[in-house]
Amino acid sequence: MTPLAENSTVIAAVIGLGSMGLGMARSMKRAGLDVVGYDITPAAIDRFITEGGRGAATPAGAAKDADIVVSVVVNGAQTEAVLFGPEGVASTMKAGAVFISSATMDPAVARNLAQRVEALGLHYLDAPISGGAAKAALGELTIMASGSSRAFDRARPGLDAMAGKVYELGDAAGTGAAFKMINQLLAGVHIAAACEAITFAAKQGLDLDRVYEVITASAGNSWMFENRVPHVLAGDYTPLSSIEIFVKDLGIVQDMARSERYPAPLAAAALQMYLAAAGAGMGRDDDSSLARLYSKLSGAELPGSNKKAQSL
């Protein structure tokens, strides 16, 4: 299989037009691809159409003529449904097309899905993403990808449009997923640590704006502290990445670690905090809501603590 001809119009289908998928669809459209979008929410499809994209009523309809199908859903189960469920894309994708799976999932699930897709004469690229909605909108995502050379060749126009950096991590599906889980272990622990630290600072009666200024210029800083603590300082827990995402992802980390008989106590402790926050009714709120949980446990006062959204 050769790469798509440079002078042909590449058709890409994006399944899932949430904050990440919409940005990815926009980036490919901006790069000159003919993009068809599908989402379970009709309003999301309508929004993309008003921007000049095309819409479809089903995943199968979106994928019918596509050279590239990008699945931007939450997990492995949803990815399987996109592929093989009612109106799934595997039923209409043309021979030689590539399926780019962007969901975070267990590497074993990615390997299984790849085998099933490739048995149909299609290509599968295991390609989880990092960077958030802002990077998706700019076409500057980090993509951790693994798959056959032919899958990469077929996916290249979409990858070039969506990503600032594509890491090619091997020829077998599952490797990209494994890299993403290492990232998620660190991200989940770092968010929990950032929320613990800023709420501890509040308990000490410190000026939180000054704490943020000092720590972001010091050795204790992390990308997550710098990115998430402003949500706490603003008292704004509008979800950009939700608590439930890390309930899922750190749960996968624990499953993987248990199967390898590998201890992961820091990830386990962080998972318990996300579970507690979800159980307290904050599952759909921003993951910086762990600070709210710490404040309720300790009596520390955070900005916006008198808002209704701050109550458990």
Side-chain angles (χ1 to χ4, degrees):
M1 183 69 63
T2 59
L4 294 167
E6 291 186 7
N7 61 353
S8 65
T9 299
V10 177
I11 300 174
V14 177
I15 312 302
L17 295 172
S19 59
M20 296 295 289
L22 180 61
M24 294 159 76
R26 287 169 170 166
S27 294
M28 287 193 287
K29 183 176 177 296
R30 192 166 57 243
L33 282 68
D34 179 7
V35 185
V36 187
Y38 168 78
D39 194 273
I40 59 172
T41 305
I45 303 172
D46 293 340
R47 175 175 56 184
F48 186 56
I49 292 172
T50 64
E51 297 177 359
R54 294 196 287 133
T58 65
K64 184 176 183 296
D65 298 312
D67 303 292
I68 300 168
V69 177
V70 185
S71 175
V72 196
V73 294
V74 173
N75 54 31
Q78 289 187 6
T79 304
E80 182 176 25
V82 165
L83 279 164
F84 303 111
E87 298 292 342
V89 302
S91 65
T92 57
M93 285 177 68
K94 61 187 182 182
V98 61
F99 182 84
I100 301 178
S101 173
S102 296
T104 302
M105 65 182 75
D106 188 308
V109 174
R111 287 190 291 271
N112 176 266
L113 291 175
Q115 290 172 359
R116 294 168 65 186
V117 168
E118 289 165 357
L120 299 174
L122 306 169
H123 300 293
Y124 184 102
L125 197 67
D126 175 21
I129 55 181
S130 182
K135 290 292 182 74
L138 294 171
E140 296 179 358
L141 289 169
T142 295
I143 298 182
M144 302 164 233
S146 63
S148 70
S149 60
R150 287 182 292 179
F152 274 105
D153 285 344
R154 300 296 286 183
R156 190 70 58 194
L159 297 176
D160 289 346
M162 295 184 291
K165 181 67 176 179
V166 178
Y167 288 97
E168 299 187 20
L169 302 171
D171 59 5
T175 304
F179 270 80
K180 180 61 184 294
M181 294 320 305
I182 301 303
N183 181 79
Q184 293 307 92
L185 186 161
L186 289 165
V189 170
H190 288 176
I191 292 168
C195 291
E196 182 174 308
I198 197 66
T199 313
F200 188 48
K203 187 68 174 177
Q204 305 307 305
L206 302 180
D207 180 328
L208 298 188
D209 289 319
R210 291 289 280 172
V211 170
Y212 181 75
E213 178 186 355
V214 170
I215 295 303
T216 55
S218 302
N221 190 35
S222 68
W223 191 93
M224 285 301 185
F225 185 94
E226 196 162 342
N227 184 266
R228 295 310 202 265
V229 168
H231 305 182
V232 180
L233 300 183
D236 183 0
Y237 299 95
T238 302
L240 299 178
S241 175
S242 73
I243 289 287
E244 289 290 357
I245 291 293
F246 283 99
V247 170
K248 170 182 70 74
D249 290 354
L250 291 182
I252 294 172
V253 168
Q254 289 300 302
D255 290 342
M256 292 169 63
R258 183 169 55 251
S259 70
E260 297 287 343
R261 298 300 185 264
Y262 180 83
L266 297 182
L271 174 58
Q272 292 305 308
M273 296 305 295
Y274 290 104
L275 284 168
M282 294 183 284
R284 295 183 180 274
D285 295 340
D286 192 75
D287 50 35
S288 59
S289 291
L290 284 190
R292 296 160 61 194
L293 183 67
Y294 275 110
S295 75
K296 291 297 179 180
L297 293 172
S298 66
E301 290 290 330
L302 292 175
S305 60
N306 60 340
K307 294 179 181 179
K308 181 178 180 181
Q310 189 78 355
S311 63
L312 298 184

